[in-house]
Amino acid sequence: MKKCLLFTCIFALALTACRKPELGTEPNSETTDTLVKKYLVKEYYAEIPERPIREIEWNDDFTRIRHITTDSSALYQVDYDFEYYGRDSMRVVLSIPANSSALVLFSEYTCHFDEAERISHIDYYINSVYKLTEKYSYDSSGKLVSVVDEKHNAGARFVWDGDNVREVYSITSGERLRSFDNFFQYIHPYYTFPYLLPDGNTYNFWYLTEPLWKNWYNYASDMYYEVDEDGYVTCSYRIDEQGEKTAIIMYKYEKCSNY
């Protein structure tokens, strides 16, 4: 589905889990106090595992992302290569395979880090020509509260409830863009991504990586979820009138050897 995004704005088929969360369950300390860190390496539609939605390559200790492929072998595939410059900055370069029809808003961007190694701002480029900057701002607890292109008065503001973003607002209009509720105590697949990063693909995601939620939220009333032994969501599925499960999206993780 093509996303509505302006250039100056932000944005193995097996049910191996052990239990299904009940709808409307709120987060509790059972999972959050004993968190085992796992890192998403593959997200894919259950019927077509050979064409992942996302594939993420990490370094050995999962502190840095090396490469991300979105819509692998599909019509709108985009590849993202990461280059790190010490603790000061990170460059992300977008590339489009020859068989892809994807359109991107920029060809690369550079993330600059503050003293706490959080993104302070991102500079965007098209064919090495600078285009704009987005500033990242945080609250006193270190949570990201806004991403703003000050020159064009564009971007997004995030409203948190504990460890989860519940609302996102437009900087330009002030209107609410997205809202989230009915959180479970189980861990969201995106939680251990290190940064909120733009994707630039006009046909796909709102963001490339979204560490906006610690807990999974119920985004469809007819959707159910499987989780693993550590509380991470591994599968979303529906149940038909005959009571049969149909897996929708699968999530595959790797665990750091330190855990």
Side-chain angles (χ1 to χ4, degrees):
M1 180 179 67
K2 185 173 182 179
K3 62 181 179 183
C4 298
L5 176 66
L6 297 175
F7 181 74
T8 58
C9 287
I10 352 201
F11 323 1
L13 181 52
L15 301 176
T16 59
C18 58
R19 56 194 183 277
K20 175 178 72 70
E22 296 183 8
L23 301 182
T25 303
E26 289 297 324
N28 61 30
S29 60
E30 178 184 353
T31 299
T32 57
D33 288 347
T34 58
L35 178 64
V36 174
K37 285 192 176 182
K38 292 183 175 180
Y39 299 85
L40 183 68
V41 295
K42 187 176 181 180
E43 175 184 358
Y44 58 97
Y45 290 108
E47 293 183 352
I48 46 174
E50 71 280 3
R51 291 167 54 181
I53 300 169
R54 284 182 179 90
E55 280 189 291
I56 303 98
E57 297 177 18
W58 300 81
N59 66 348
D60 291 341
D61 62 0
F62 297 92
T63 57
R64 292 180 172 183
I65 296 173
R66 291 176 172 172
H67 183 88
I68 295 179
T69 297
T70 59
D71 279 335
S72 180
S73 303
L75 186 59
Y76 302 119
Q77 177 176 331
V78 178
D79 290 284
Y80 303 79
D81 287 294
F82 292 70
E83 302 173 7
Y84 296 86
Y85 304 95
R87 297 182 176 181
D88 296 327
S89 60
M90 172 182 72
R91 180 170 174 252
V92 182
V93 179
L94 288 67
S95 59
I96 302 172
N99 61 343
S100 173
S101 299
L103 296 175
V104 295
L105 301 172
F106 36 81
S107 57
E108 62 183 89
Y109 56 87
T110 299
C111 304
H112 300 270
F113 302 137
D114 61 18
E115 293 182 354
E117 299 186 32
R118 305 171 302 193
I119 293 176
S120 62
H121 62 282
I122 298 180
D123 296 328
Y124 294 87
Y125 300 85
I126 296 179
N127 299 324
S128 299
V129 177
Y130 168 79
K131 291 300 178 181
L132 62 90
T133 294
E134 286 181 335
K135 180 181 179 181
Y136 280 45
S137 296
Y138 304 84
D139 64 15
S140 58
S141 66
K143 289 184 171 60
L144 179 67
V145 292
S146 66
V147 177
V148 181
D149 170 8
E150 295 178 337
K151 181 178 179 180
H152 302 92
N153 189 35
R157 179 172 62 88
F158 305 97
V159 178
W160 292 78
D161 182 1
D163 292 319
N164 301 297
V165 166
R166 286 194 179 264
E167 295 177 316
V168 182
Y169 290 87
S170 166
I171 295 295
T172 304
S173 66
E175 71 174 308
R176 188 172 66 182
L177 301 174
R178 301 177 72 182
S179 63
F180 313 91
D181 54 18
N182 294 328
F183 286 89
F184 305 133
Q185 70 264 40
Y186 303 112
I187 304 300
H188 198 289
Y190 303 161
Y191 177 59
T192 49
F193 280 135
Y195 312 110
L196 180 71
L197 297 175
D199 69 338
N201 188 344
T202 60
Y203 293 97
N204 275 328
F205 308 106
W206 189 47
Y207 283 106
L208 179 62
T209 56
E210 296 180 86
L212 299 177
W213 315 277
K214 182 173 187 176
N215 304 98
W216 186 265
Y217 59 88
N218 182 33
Y219 64 90
S221 60
D222 63 341
M223 196 74 73
Y224 296 85
Y225 313 97
E226 298 285 347
V227 300
D228 66 15
E229 68 280 359
D230 296 310
Y232 285 79
V233 173
T234 58
C235 173
S236 63
Y237 66 91
R238 289 188 168 93
I239 300 178
D240 62 22
E241 295 179 353
Q242 288 71 43
E244 296 294 325
K245 290 182 179 180
T246 300
I248 308 299
I249 297 180
M250 310 289 291
Y251 300 93
K252 180 181 178 181
Y253 305 89
E254 289 185 8
K255 183 169 62 174
C256 182
S257 59
N258 293 333
Y259 293 90

